[in-house]
Amino acid sequence: MDVTSKMRAGRAWLQGPERWTRAALLKDCAMAAVLALLGMPLEEIEGGAWWRHTLSAVVVVLLTLLRRRLPAGTLVAGAVISGVLPGAFLVTILLAWSAGRRIVGVTRAVVAFTLTFALEVGVAVVTEWSNTRPLWIAVFVTLAFLATTLMPGLASRYWYQRRTLLHALQERNAQLMRERAMIAGQARLRERQRIAQDMHDSLGHQLALISVHTGALEVDPALTERQREAVGVLRQASVGAMHELREVVGILRDGVEAPVAAEDTVQPAARGVAGIGGVVEAARAAGTEVRLTVTGATRPLAPACDHAAYRIVQEALTNAYKHAPGAAITVELRYEDDSLVVEIANGPAAAERPDGVVSGGQGLTGLRERARLVGGMVHAGPVEGGGFRVAGVLPYGAEPAGAQGPEPDDFGQLAVRVSGATAPMDWAAVDRELAVGRHGRSPGGGVALGCGIAFAAAVLLLIAVVALIALMASSADEAYLTREEYDRVQVGQSEKEVRKAVPSGDSIMTSGLDRKGPPKPAGASCLALLDPEDDTDLAKDRVFRFCFKDGKLVEKQTYEVDAG
């Protein structure tokens, strides 16, 4: 295996199951450098050894890069290293955030964070044993652990689990959408088959009777030539209606046009712009004055638009027959630059409207919907002089109305595209789905739980800080000794007398001060106190130290130490 393959394999191991791009690598390195720089103490930057700075930066970068593959291991290692190397303190925030979401299992996470806490306390006690008391070390480390490790880990784990739950709910919702779309499609298919069967059984029978009777009447010798032509028009219309009914029934039943039977000698009527001339000729043969004009350069239309133009002319002529019998009709097709304009107008009725004319009242509504579905429009209304006009504007290329926005489906709901299929989007169902979490609990409960954990951690941290401040304030009187009191104490006095005359020194502010001054007498125990009036140098503190041996004061010293 060559070097390149080894590097590629190592990078794949580092990134684990997550995708790790070059930009992500640079981002991690930059973030590690910033954390190392911000976590470096000022005195370490000014006077520390360069090798410690370099080692700290390298360790922080390594921990940052390894946190994806070894979340628990890097968290524990960060707890140890942050107490030894300067600049590695802030990386525990990043490691805790990463470990909170990547450690699998609650037990493992609890063990990892508990071990981290124990190691942080242990390392701090060992490294700072000579400077302060172990109790105060434990208090400070506990506060730091809450702020920089526990709270980021809890927040990360809650955020990641909530995101995972929402993703699972979305996947489940998409699956339910697909299943519902399949059920709705099956229901529509069954209903279409029922409608197709009803149409075939009722209309097919009636049209067949009309065709047979008009065919017999056409050869009746008692009819005049003009009557035979009118009967022939009726027979051709009934035969064409039967063919169109067969096509519609086929589309309703199977979604495709029904095949033309071999024994059929009459082909189905053309149902496009090319068939408009036939419709006009049929109207003329029936005795209606119809004039057809075509202007502009003929252009091909999409099939849906072509059929819509035919239906507009057909429906407008039918309305003119029924509501304005005997009126002259003009049909105009205008090929504009971007659309086809179909206009049908008739004058006032030449005769009274016959009684018993059947009208469904949905013809113009259907035309408007048909035109809208292909991106066009239809206008209908009366004109001056008592006539009526129907005009449709149709684009040359079909532009489904769905492209402009979601349309209601059969159930009056919006449709959404899911995995390549159109599925109804039931927003109420989505809200109900997202309102149900695992084991029947709602995300509201999860939000309350996550917020409760964060609030409890914040309250605990606040209580600890307040308690620490109160403890320091209450013990401040035991940490200070004035110069006059110091001068009144003489070497050789009994330890009991001296301790009664001076404060006890039981304060965090005096912890470790007795070990920072000159060497203590052999076998002696010392008490260190602070001078409250020392304001000459804010960076230094004056210390009064009393050393006792065999129940007597054997030495008292005054010296200065670095403040803080």
Side-chain angles (χ1 to χ4, degrees):
M1 182 181 291
D2 57 5
V3 178
T4 304
S5 300
K6 290 182 178 179
M7 292 178 61
R8 189 179 296 110
R11 179 179 178 182
W13 181 85
L14 274 177
Q15 69 182 7
E18 302 178 16
R19 185 173 179 268
W20 200 12
T21 61
R22 183 177 300 177
L25 176 61
L26 295 176
K27 177 181 176 182
D28 284 351
C29 292
M31 184 166 49
V34 171
L35 290 176
L37 182 61
L38 293 179
M40 192 75 66
L42 183 60
E43 61 272 12
E44 185 69 27
I45 296 177
E46 294 177 350
W50 66 268
W51 63 268
R52 286 172 58 86
H53 301 167
T54 304
L55 181 60
S56 177
V58 171
V59 169
V60 170
V61 171
L62 288 178
L63 290 176
T64 302
L65 297 180
L66 287 172
R67 76 184 193 280
R68 292 183 174 86
R69 169 58 67 178
L70 304 172
T74 53
L75 179 64
V76 174
V80 177
I81 295 172
S82 63
V84 177
L85 289 178
F89 173 71
L90 291 180
V91 76
T92 55
I93 300 175
L94 178 62
L95 298 179
W97 178 271
S98 179
R101 57 165 293 206
R102 290 186 172 89
I103 295 179
V104 180
V106 177
T107 303
R108 292 182 181 179
V110 171
V111 171
F113 278 84
T114 303
L115 181 59
T116 301
F117 173 68
L119 288 175
E120 285 187 1
V121 173
V123 173
V125 169
V126 171
T127 56
E128 299 293 334
W129 181 272
S130 60
N131 295 328
T132 184
R133 298 180 182 179
L135 178 60
W136 296 116
I137 296 175
V139 171
F140 278 119
V141 172
T142 301
L143 294 177
F145 176 79
L146 289 174
T148 63
T149 305
L150 184 60
M151 292 184 66
L154 289 176
S156 173
R157 194 167 189 86
Y158 167 73
W159 173 81
Y160 179 72
Q161 288 181 346
R162 176 171 175 78
R163 189 182 67 171
T164 303
L165 175 61
L166 289 178
H167 180 70
L169 290 177
Q170 290 170 355
E171 291 292 331
R172 183 185 176 192
N173 183 65
Q175 181 181 357
L176 293 176
M177 292 295 184
R178 289 190 291 268
E179 293 175 356
R180 180 175 175 179
M182 294 173 60
I183 295 173
Q186 293 175 356
R188 286 196 297 267
L189 181 59
R190 287 194 298 268
E191 183 65 16
R192 287 165 58 174
Q193 290 175 345
R194 184 190 66 79
I195 296 173
Q197 189 64 41
D198 290 344
M199 291 177 62
H200 181 272
D201 294 343
S202 59
L203 293 179
H205 176 70
Q206 300 296 334
L207 290 174
L209 286 179
I210 293 174
S211 178
V212 170
H213 284 291
T214 53
L217 186 61
E218 188 177 9
V219 297
D220 190 344
L223 297 181
T224 63
E225 188 64 26
R226 181 171 179 79
Q227 289 173 338
R228 283 196 188 91
E229 290 180 0
V231 172
V233 171
L234 293 177
R235 185 181 66 81
Q236 291 291 338
S238 63
V239 172
M242 289 180 63
H243 284 295
E244 293 193 11
L245 176 64
R246 182 180 300 172
E247 293 179 9
V248 172
V249 168
I251 294 174
L252 284 174
R253 181 183 292 118
D254 305 319
V256 297
E257 294 186 1
V260 180
E263 63 272 13
D264 289 344
T265 58
V266 181
Q267 297 295 324
R271 293 186 297 165
V273 174
I276 293 178
V279 175
V280 172
E281 289 298 330
R284 290 173 181 167
T288 303
E289 181 183 350
V290 183
R291 181 167 57 91
L292 173 64
T293 59
V294 180
T295 58
T298 303
R299 295 177 56 177
L301 279 79
C305 297
D306 197 35
H307 185 60
Y310 176 84
R311 288 303 187 194
I312 291 174
V313 174
Q314 187 183 50
E315 180 65 25
L317 290 177
T318 301
N319 288 339
Y321 300 155
K322 292 190 296 184
H323 302 290
I329 304 173
T330 59
V331 178
E332 184 178 0
L333 303 178
R334 296 197 304 271
Y335 288 91
E336 304 288 351
D337 293 337
D338 56 353
S339 60
L340 171 65
V341 179
V342 182
E343 184 174 349
I344 304 94
N346 61 270
E352 292 294 331
R353 174 180 173 180
D355 296 333
V357 175
V358 179
S359 176
Q362 300 296 323
L364 293 177
T365 302
L367 289 183
R368 293 189 179 96
E369 180 65 16
R370 185 186 295 273
R372 187 188 64 82
L373 290 176
V374 297
M377 59 180 294
V378 170
H379 171 76
V383 296
E384 294 182 1
F388 198 81
R389 174 177 171 270
V390 177
V393 180
L394 303 171
Y396 293 119
E399 183 179 344
Q404 301 173 359
E407 296 296 332
D409 65 351
D410 294 348
F411 301 97
Q413 296 166 342
L414 295 180
V416 64
R417 182 73 58 179
V418 179
S419 299
T422 300
M425 172 60 78
D426 187 352
W427 293 110
V430 172
D431 292 338
R432 290 193 300 270
E433 185 70 21
L434 292 179
V436 179
R438 298 182 63 182
H439 307 299
R441 293 179 299 185
S442 66
V447 172
L449 179 61
C451 294
I453 293 174
F455 179 74
V459 170
L460 182 61
L461 179 61
L462 180 62
I463 292 175
V465 172
V466 171
L468 179 62
I469 295 175
L471 183 61
M472 293 179 62
S474 62
S475 63
D477 293 339
E478 302 297 328
Y480 292 104
L481 178 71
T482 64
R483 185 73 185 190
E484 292 77 10
E485 293 173 327
Y486 172 76
D487 292 336
R488 285 198 295 266
V489 177
Q490 302 297 324
V491 175
Q493 285 184 275
S494 65
E495 181 178 356
K496 183 181 294 186
E497 292 177 354
V498 174
R499 289 193 179 274
K500 284 183 179 180
V502 299
S504 65
D506 188 12
S507 173
I508 188 175
M509 293 182 288
T510 61
S511 180
L513 292 179
D514 59 326
R515 295 186 292 269
K516 294 182 179 181
K520 297 186 293 186
S525 62
C526 299
L527 170 64
L529 299 171
L530 293 172
D531 183 2
E533 300 175 356
D534 180 27
D535 56 359
T536 57
D537 190 354
L538 297 179
K540 299 289 185 178
D541 288 331
R542 180 179 292 118
V543 179
F544 299 136
R545 190 177 70 180
F546 303 92
C547 294
F548 305 95
K549 185 178 180 181
D550 298 332
K552 292 184 178 181
L553 178 64
V554 297
E555 181 187 74
K556 68 175 188 177
Q557 290 275 350
T558 301
Y559 55 88
E560 291 184 346
V561 298
D562 292 333

